[in-house]
């Protein structure tokens, strides 16, 4: 067996394994006696990647390459699709592209080994022609047009456009009809050669399967040669937002809003970033949860409609708070949000609220171990951060009220706010 490391949790009495495969692929296996086995093969190549360097050469990709490639990897040389193979095995397969990564997923109750073998095979054995790429261009162009017509998508993208000057996070992951027109079969092969290499990928599997079985399948199936990982170029980004208000007009029944709060103080240490991420989410729940006074007051006053969402998103390059929903007066709602923050700054945060939200975080973490899907995704995510899946409780333990109060002071400054609105009125 390749180099293997065991991780154990005394809290839940379970364990998983990390295998450093000889190819460079990192493999995580969580044996669990459940009916469905779930696998995720992810690549450190997402929608944000437009400029990179490899072997001294500078390369620029059309926006939307990672998403386009995700679609095309399902093609087989015989004209069938990878999904046809999984369907014949009675299994489910899917994929998605985020700003950071592309992930390929399967779930199966039977024929697990065959599914895992084919997942690795189709992701690492690309087949493109000009004809198939041109055909896919029309399909993805239709998807892009659907996004353009989606008011929720436009509102979210408007928030990112308002917050960021230079970072490609503000761009549509699918690209634009203009940008994808520059994608060719050669472009996609280059992306595979540069990014779809074992040391730039993580495989996580949870279910009725042993680590040795997974390693045997990887030994048999993975033929991709490893090479140096490209350097993805970053973008200089000032801390303040580009635009405080972004407003677009579309045919909708009630105005939509996305309030963004830009955070450029991103810790370089991944554990510290996770701590900051969870602490800000605790803070947001303390101020804006549906059980709190603010939410009830906004609903009763008619300023806010039910369905108010909020959260904090972060990666190694970008981070922001987002609040979204429907409101007849988004500008008034933004004022009320800032008033609520000012009240908390003046009066302080309630320790009982803080303790309750920490307990909710623990409960949510424990509930994730009820499904192989959640475990497989969590393992994959933690792997990219270089963290142990069982580290989470200690990260939460390290958060105290004074740390949350410090973040309250640091983050919510006027120059960091953007309001994106979709309205049908002038």
């Amino acid at each position: 067996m390749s180099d293997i490391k065991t991780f154990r949790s005394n809290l839940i009495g379970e364990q998983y394994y990390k295998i450093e495969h000889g190819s460079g692929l990192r493999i995580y296996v969580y044996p669990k006696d459940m009916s469905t086995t779930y696998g995720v093969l992810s690549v450190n190549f997402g929608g944000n990647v437009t400029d990179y360097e490899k072997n001294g050469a500078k390369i620029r990709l059309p926006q939307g390459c990672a998403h386009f490639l995700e679609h095309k990897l399902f093609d087989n040389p015989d004209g069938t699709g990878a999904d046809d193979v999984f369907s014949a095995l009675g299994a489910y397969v899917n994929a998605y592209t985020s700003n950071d990564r592309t992930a390929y997923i399967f779930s199966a109750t039977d024929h697990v080994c065959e599914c895992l073998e084919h997942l690795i095979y189709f992701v690492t054995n690309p087949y493109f022609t000009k004809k198939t790429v041109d055909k896919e261009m029309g399909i993805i162009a239709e998807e892009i047009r659907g996004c353009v017509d989606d008011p929720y998508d436009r509102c979210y993208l408007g928030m990112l456009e308002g917050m960021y000057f230079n970072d490609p996070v503000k761009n549509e992951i699918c690209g634009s009809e203009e940008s994808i027109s520059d994608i060719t079969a050669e472009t996609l092969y280059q992306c595979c050669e540069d990014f779809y290499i074992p040391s730039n990928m993580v495989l996580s599997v949870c279910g009725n399967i042993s680590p040795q079985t997974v390693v045997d399948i990887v030994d048999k199936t993975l033929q991709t040669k490893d090479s140096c990982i490209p350097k993805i170029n970053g973008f200089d980004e000032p801390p303040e937002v580009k635009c405080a208000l972004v407003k677009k007009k579309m045919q909708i029944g009630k105005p939509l809003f996305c309030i963004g709060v830009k955070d450029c103080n991103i810790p370089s240490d991944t554990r510290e970033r996770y701590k900051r991420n969870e602490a800000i989410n605790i803070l947001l729940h303390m101020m804006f949860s549906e059980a709190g006074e603010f939410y009830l007051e906004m609903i009763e006053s008619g300023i806010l409609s039910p369905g108010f969402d909020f959260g904090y998103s972060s990666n190694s390059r970008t981070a922001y708070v987002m609040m979204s929903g429907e409101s007849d007066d988004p500008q008034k709602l933004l004022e009320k949000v800032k008033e609520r923050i000012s009240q908390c700054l003046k009066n302080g945060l309630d320790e009982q609220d803080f303790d309750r939200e920490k307990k909710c975080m623990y409960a949510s973490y424990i509930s994730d171990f009820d499904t192989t899907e959640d475990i497989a995704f969590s393992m994959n995510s933690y792997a990219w951060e270089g963290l142990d899946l069982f580290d989470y409780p200690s990260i939460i333990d390290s958060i105290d009220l004074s740390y949350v109060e410090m973040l309250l002071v640091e983050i919510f400054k006027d120059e960091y706010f953007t309001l994106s609105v979709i309205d049908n009125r002038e």
Side-chain angles (χ1 to χ4, degrees), residues 190-236:
Q190 180 181 40
C191 291
C192 286
E193 181 181 345
D194 291 346
F195 290 98
Y196 279 64
I197 55 177
S199 57
N200 201 41
M201 305 170 80
V202 168
L203 172 66
S204 57
V205 185
C206 179
N208 288 313
I209 195 165
S210 71
Q212 185 60 61
T213 300
V214 174
V215 171
D216 290 343
I217 292 170
V218 173
D219 286 342
K220 173 184 175 182
T221 313
L222 187 62
Q223 305 298 325
T224 303
K225 294 181 179 179
D226 209 7
S227 62
C228 65
I229 299 174
K231 178 193 174 202
I232 299 172
N233 293 328
F235 295 83
D236 291 332

Side-chain angles (χ1 to χ4, degrees), residues 154-172:
R154 292 303 94 192
C155 194
Y156 171 67
L157 198 63
M159 179 196 73
L160 295 177
E161 290 170 351
M163 282 196 293
Y164 290 95
F165 289 81
N166 303 313
D167 198 284
V169 69
K170 66 181 181 175
N171 299 324
E172 182 66 66

Side-chain angles (χ1 to χ4, degrees), residues 74 185 277:
F74 278 78
N277 189 95

Side-chain angles (χ1 to χ4, degrees), residues 68 72 75 79 129-141:
F68 203 112
K72 292 310 297 167
D75 288 356
T129 66
K130 183 179 186 305
K131 182 178 179 181
T132 60
V133 169
D134 288 346
K135 179 181 177 182
E136 193 68 34
M137 205 166 290
I139 295 170
I140 294 181

Side-chain angles (χ1 to χ4, degrees), residues 84-328:
D84 297 325
V85 176
F86 284 92
S87 294
L89 294 169
Y92 166 84
V93 66
N94 207 342
Y96 72 86
T97 303
S98 69
N99 285 314
D100 300 323
R101 286 182 274 279
T102 307
Y104 301 85
I105 308 135
F106 85 88
S107 63
T109 54
D110 295 304
H111 306 292
V112 171
C113 292
E114 294 96 320
C115 289
L116 179 56
E117 184 176 331
H118 192 65
L119 179 76
I120 297 168
Y121 175 80
F122 89 78
V123 172
T124 58
N125 288 271
Y127 174 75
F128 317 121
T129 66
K130 183 179 186 305
K131 182 178 179 181
T132 60
V133 169
D134 288 346
K135 179 181 177 182
E136 193 68 34
M137 205 166 290
I139 295 170
I140 294 181
E142 187 63 34
E143 182 179 345
I144 292 170
R145 287 191 287 271
C147 292
V148 170
D149 291 336
D150 184 338
Y152 296 93
D153 188 81
R154 292 303 94 192
C155 194
Y156 171 67
L157 198 63
M159 179 196 73
L160 295 177
E161 290 170 351
M163 282 196 293
Y164 290 95
F165 289 81
N166 303 313
D167 198 284
V169 69
K170 66 181 181 175
N171 299 324
E172 182 66 66
I173 289 173
C174 297
S176 64
E177 291 188 62
E178 180 181 4
S179 70
I180 65 169
S181 67
D182 293 329
I183 296 174
T184 65
E186 289 72 26
T187 308
L188 299 180
Y189 275 121
Q190 180 181 40
C191 291
C192 286
E193 181 181 345
D194 291 346
F195 290 98
Y196 279 64
I197 55 177
S199 57
N200 201 41
M201 305 170 80
V202 168
L203 172 66
S204 57
V205 185
C206 179
N208 288 313
I209 195 165
S210 71
Q212 185 60 61
T213 300
V214 174
V215 171
D216 290 343
I217 292 170
V218 173
D219 286 342
K220 173 184 175 182
T221 313
L222 187 62
Q223 305 298 325
T224 303
K225 294 181 179 179
D226 209 7
S227 62
C228 65
I229 299 174
K231 178 193 174 202
I232 299 172
N233 293 328
F235 295 83
D236 291 332
E237 186 66 44
E240 70 275 6
V241 299
K242 181 179 181 181
C243 183
L245 176 63
V246 177
K247 194 170 182 178
K248 298 177 183 179
K249 186 176 179 182
M250 297 181 73
Q251 291 301 314
I252 56 172
K254 180 169 284 199
L256 304 177
F257 70 88
C258 278
I259 298 170
V261 187
K262 186 177 181 181
D263 182 11
C264 283
N265 188 12
I266 304 171
S268 57
D269 180 79
T270 52
R271 186 182 176 89
E272 281 301 310
R273 182 154 59 81
Y274 258 66
K275 176 182 176 180
R276 184 182 182 88
N277 189 95
E278 298 311 296
I280 293 173
N281 276 312
I282 288 173
L283 174 60
L284 291 172
H285 278 87
M286 290 175 70
M287 294 192 294
F288 303 116
S289 77
E290 291 188 5
E293 294 180 3
F294 173 83
Y295 179 80
L296 294 176
E297 180 186 333
M298 294 302 99
I299 294 293
E300 290 173 357
S301 65
I303 296 175
L304 181 64
S305 297
F308 180 53
D309 291 321
F310 57 84
Y312 178 74
S313 174
S314 71
N315 57 42
S316 60
R317 269 183 16 190
T318 59
Y320 53 86
V321 171
M322 185 181 82
M323 308 174 203
S324 63
E326 297 181 351
S327 172
D328 284 323

